[in-house]
Amino acid sequence: MAKDLKIIFGEMHGLDQKSVATLTKALNHANLPGFDYLEFKQSLGALTKLNMDEATAIKSAFATAATMGLTKPKLIETAQHYKSVLAGERNKFQQALDNRVQARVEGKKKEIERLKKQVEEYKSKITQLESQIAKHQQTIDSADSTIQTEVEKIESIHRNFEQAHQSLLNQIDKDILNINQHL
C-alpha cells in the first residue's frame, strides 16, 4: 500500500518541511511488512475524511485491520516501533547538530583564542622591535658627534705622528749633512 506519510499524519502547517520530510522518509524506510500501524493510520485518515467521528473511525479502521490479522497488541507494538524510529532520527539529528556546533561554534571559539594569543605575541614583538628601533635611533642620532670626535682624534694622532716622523727625518738628515761636512 503506497502511502504519503505527510498526508497520513495530517496537515503539518507551521512545521519545518525539511524536517518533516526527513522524519517521514525514515518512517517509510522502516515500514514493517504487512498491515501495521502505518496502514491503520492510513485507513483512519480515509475514514476521518468521510466526516466520521474519531471513535467510530478508529473502531472501523481496526475492524478492517483485524480481518488482515492485526491485533490491538500488534497495533500498539508497531506504533512503538515507529516511535523508536523517530527517536533514532532525533538522536542522529542531535549528533549532527552537536557536530555542527563543535565545528562551527567551538572550532571558531578555539580559533579566536589562538588568534588572540597570536595578537598578544605580535604586540610583544612590536614592543621589542620599537625598543630596538629607539635604541638604534639613539645610536644613529649620537653617531655624528661620535664620528666627529673620532675624526678629530685620528687627525690629531696623524698630525702628531707626521711631526714626530718629520722631526726624526730632519735630525737624521742634519746628522748626515754634519757627517759629510765634518768627516
Side-chain angles (χ1 to χ4, degrees), residues 78-121:
T78 58
Q80 291 296 338
H81 164 75
Y82 294 113
K83 283 179 68 175
S84 295
V85 168
L86 292 175
E89 287 301 306
R90 184 169 193 252
N91 288 340
K92 283 193 243 177
F93 172 79
Q94 189 61 49
Q95 182 62 44
L97 194 63
D98 291 346
N99 290 342
R100 187 173 183 148
V101 165
Q102 186 65 31
R104 296 201 178 169
V105 175
E106 296 302 322
K108 287 291 181 195
K109 285 181 180 178
K110 287 179 183 175
E111 181 182 3
I112 287 169
E113 287 304 313
R114 182 186 61 78
L115 290 174
K116 283 181 180 178
K117 287 179 184 176
Q118 189 69 56
V119 165
E120 289 304 315
E121 288 175 18

Side-chain angles (χ1 to χ4, degrees), residues 82-164:
Y82 294 113
K83 283 179 68 175
S84 295
V85 168
L86 292 175
E89 287 301 306
R90 184 169 193 252
N91 288 340
K92 283 193 243 177
F93 172 79
Q94 189 61 49
Q95 182 62 44
L97 194 63
D98 291 346
N99 290 342
R100 187 173 183 148
V101 165
Q102 186 65 31
R104 296 201 178 169
V105 175
E106 296 302 322
K108 287 291 181 195
K109 285 181 180 178
K110 287 179 183 175
E111 181 182 3
I112 287 169
E113 287 304 313
R114 182 186 61 78
L115 290 174
K116 283 181 180 178
K117 287 179 184 176
Q118 189 69 56
V119 165
E120 289 304 315
E121 288 175 18
Y122 289 158
K123 285 180 179 179
S124 175
K125 286 180 182 178
I126 288 170
T127 301
Q128 289 173 347
L129 289 172
E130 287 174 340
S131 173
Q132 288 178 339
I133 288 170
K135 186 177 177 182
H136 291 352
Q137 190 62 49
Q138 188 177 25
T139 301
I140 290 168
D141 293 344
S142 67
D144 287 340
S145 66
T146 303
I147 290 170
Q148 187 59 38
T149 302
E150 286 301 316
V151 166
E152 289 171 3
K153 280 184 188 178
I154 290 170
E155 287 175 353
S156 174
I157 291 170
H158 181 250
R159 270 192 316 275
N160 291 341
F161 177 82
E162 287 298 323
Q163 285 175 351

